[in-house]
Amino acid sequence: MTDVMTEPTALILPPEAQDDLLTRGFNRRDLARFAAVFGVGAVAATTGRPAWAAAGVPDPAPSAKTRIGANECWTGPLMPGQIAASKMIAHSNRYSPHDERGDFIKAVMAIEGVPYDHVAPWPGSSDPLSRAVISYCSPTKGLVTADPTFELAGRTAEWIGAPVKRVPLTPDFRHDVKAMLAADPNAGLYYICTPNNPTGTITPIADIEWLIKNKPEGSMVLVDEAYTHFAGVPVASSFVVTHKDVIVLRTFSKIFGMAGMRMGFIMTNPANIAKMMRYDGGMQSGALPLPSLACATASLKAKTLIAARKAEMEQARGMTIDHLKARGLSVVPTNANMVMIDWKTKAAKEVQAAFRTQSVEIGRSWPIWPTVSRITVGSMTDMKNFCMALDKVWVA
């Protein structure tokens, strides 16, 4: 009798991907689940998907007048990007009118100083982050992550049955890289988000380099720099040239205002790119919407406008933090477009509900800090609305 979970997998995952997964301790049933997420075909419609891959549909957009809960940018793409995307629509009858994917990679090369074959664009950053976990973690090779941090890596690892170690941040809210290594000296992947989501704090490049040099041979370090343009600090891209076991992740969903256009990219050794692409034959990375590609390419080059947007955020953030401190509230020092507020005696979910009565949608909390809420720094108008709502709902 044919194994119904095995046969479709052979049609979805390339043989080399199947062999690699089986060699690392996964079973045939696991392969079918992975095919449902990363492969193409009918199996995707019939096999259970994890929460983070449930058709890629976000929660319904809130009806709040002030939306500062999802770390989105307060405005749309930079104008050069908008113009480039608009022009590209007329040429979208072609899959590749003028090698737009190559143009994007060349723009990354010029800015980051990495070789052409070390760059791969992607529709956002969630897919390559989850792929990295599946590519380098297994039932015997776990994931090490901070706590609190962006949860996608941990959720993916749990879904595939890989051990997960969550290590508290240092007292000054950095990733504790030495404690992370000690938590699992034989991990498959160490995940560092800097600036960290939700704290907005920086893990110094020197700390990241220490982890790279001291981790076990064969394990990977993934550095998620989704918010780096808000911080203006040294980045980790040079490590992908000097170290074969480093992946740097970027997205256009934040300062570039392109969350709805789904664009991101990775920088890493070409062998790692090939390993992450093999689940779908490179389809996700190779068949990107042309307007999104064009918008991203033009936006990367707009250094003056990026700096101006960063300054605008900093002004709104500074006003907000001053107001919070004047009300006696504690905040985590931040280098990004988010602020963590400690309500001390009130649950964060209770405070979130109170803000909704004022048509202000603030962010969520993390289990390790149940009385702390993350808010996104929006426009100055957004933040003034937040402060007015705070004065109505908050009684110390």
Side-chain angles (χ1 to χ4, degrees), residues 154-222:
R155 289 173 179 170
T156 305
E158 289 171 341
W159 183 72
I160 68 172
V164 180
K165 297 291 185 181
R166 293 179 171 87
V167 179
L169 299 171
T170 63
D172 59 350
F173 307 105
R174 292 177 290 111
H175 284 59
D176 192 338
V177 293
K178 293 184 178 180
M180 290 175 72
L181 181 59
D184 187 349
N186 195 39
L189 182 70
Y190 298 88
Y191 173 67
I192 294 177
C193 184
T194 181
N196 187 41
N197 177 15
T199 59
T201 47
I202 302 298
T203 296
I205 284 291
D207 289 5
I208 298 173
E209 187 171 24
W210 182 92
L211 180 59
I212 294 169
K213 291 181 176 180
N214 288 276
K215 67 167 187 60
E217 179 70 24
S219 68
M220 300 293 294
V221 174
L222 193 156

Side-chain angles (χ1 to χ4, degrees), residues 69-92:
N71 281 358
E72 300 159 318
C73 191
W74 60 92
T75 188
L78 298 167
M79 190 51 63
Q82 293 190 35
I83 293 171
S86 179
K87 290 181 178 179
M88 186 53 63
I89 291 173
H91 303 282
S92 294

Side-chain angles (χ1 to χ4, degrees), residues 92-115:
S92 294
N93 58 305
R94 304 286 185 190
Y95 292 117
S96 182
H98 303 103
D99 190 24
E100 284 71 21
R101 186 177 189 273
D103 291 341
F104 171 81
I105 293 174
K106 290 173 185 176
V108 174
M109 290 174 60
I111 293 168
E112 302 293 339
V114 298

Side-chain angles (χ1 to χ4, degrees), residues 261-273:
M261 296 186 76
R262 309 311 304 137
M263 267 298 300
F265 64 98
I266 63 171
M267 295 176 282
T268 189
N269 186 277
N272 300 327
I273 293 176

Side-chain angles (χ1 to χ4, degrees), residues 106-353:
K106 290 173 185 176
V108 174
M109 290 174 60
I111 293 168
E112 302 293 339
V114 298
Y116 187 97
D117 61 0
H118 281 56
V119 182
W122 237 283
S125 59
S126 294
D127 182 278
L129 175 52
S130 293
R131 282 174 189 254
V133 174
I134 290 180
S135 297
Y136 298 102
C137 295
S138 70
T140 59
K141 293 284 186 178
L143 171 78
V144 181
T145 185
D147 194 11
T149 194
F150 185 47
E151 305 100 326
L152 180 58
R155 289 173 179 170
T156 305
E158 289 171 341
W159 183 72
I160 68 172
V164 180
K165 297 291 185 181
R166 293 179 171 87
V167 179
L169 299 171
T170 63
D172 59 350
F173 307 105
R174 292 177 290 111
H175 284 59
D176 192 338
V177 293
K178 293 184 178 180
M180 290 175 72
L181 181 59
D184 187 349
N186 195 39
L189 182 70
Y190 298 88
Y191 173 67
I192 294 177
C193 184
T194 181
N196 187 41
N197 177 15
T199 59
T201 47
I202 302 298
T203 296
I205 284 291
D207 289 5
I208 298 173
E209 187 171 24
W210 182 92
L211 180 59
I212 294 169
K213 291 181 176 180
N214 288 276
K215 67 167 187 60
E217 179 70 24
S219 68
M220 300 293 294
V221 174
L222 193 156
V223 186
D224 186 344
E225 295 183 328
Y227 300 91
T228 192
H229 291 91
F230 283 121
V233 296
V235 294
S237 49
S238 64
F239 292 148
V240 308
V241 181
T242 56
H243 299 277
K244 64 181 180 180
D245 42 13
V246 177
I247 302 170
V248 174
L249 189 68
R250 299 281 181 83
T251 182
F252 288 84
S253 297
K254 309 307 175 185
I255 202 169
F256 294 103
M258 293 173 57
M261 296 186 76
R262 309 311 304 137
M263 267 298 300
F265 64 98
I266 63 171
M267 295 176 282
T268 189
N269 186 277
N272 300 327
I273 293 176
K275 187 168 185 175
M276 293 171 64
M277 282 185 176
R278 62 183 164 183
Y279 302 104
D280 64 357
M283 188 68 181
Q284 285 293 305
S285 178
L288 295 163
L290 292 177
S292 296
L293 266 174
C295 185
T297 303
S299 297
L300 277 173
K301 303 173 183 178
K303 294 182 179 180
T304 301
L305 296 178
I306 294 170
R309 189 167 283 190
K310 174 177 177 286
E312 185 179 350
M313 184 280 296
E314 290 173 337
Q315 186 178 12
R317 185 181 68 194
M319 182 277 297
T320 305
I321 291 175
D322 288 345
H323 189 86
L324 290 165
K325 289 181 176 179
R327 292 299 313 272
L329 288 162
S330 299
V331 299
V332 174
T334 175
N335 292 90
N337 64 323
M338 62 195 90
V339 179
M340 293 292 278
I341 307 169
D342 192 349
W343 309 108
K344 299 295 185 183
T345 59
K346 289 189 177 181
K349 288 185 178 180
E350 178 184 344
V351 178
Q352 185 181 46

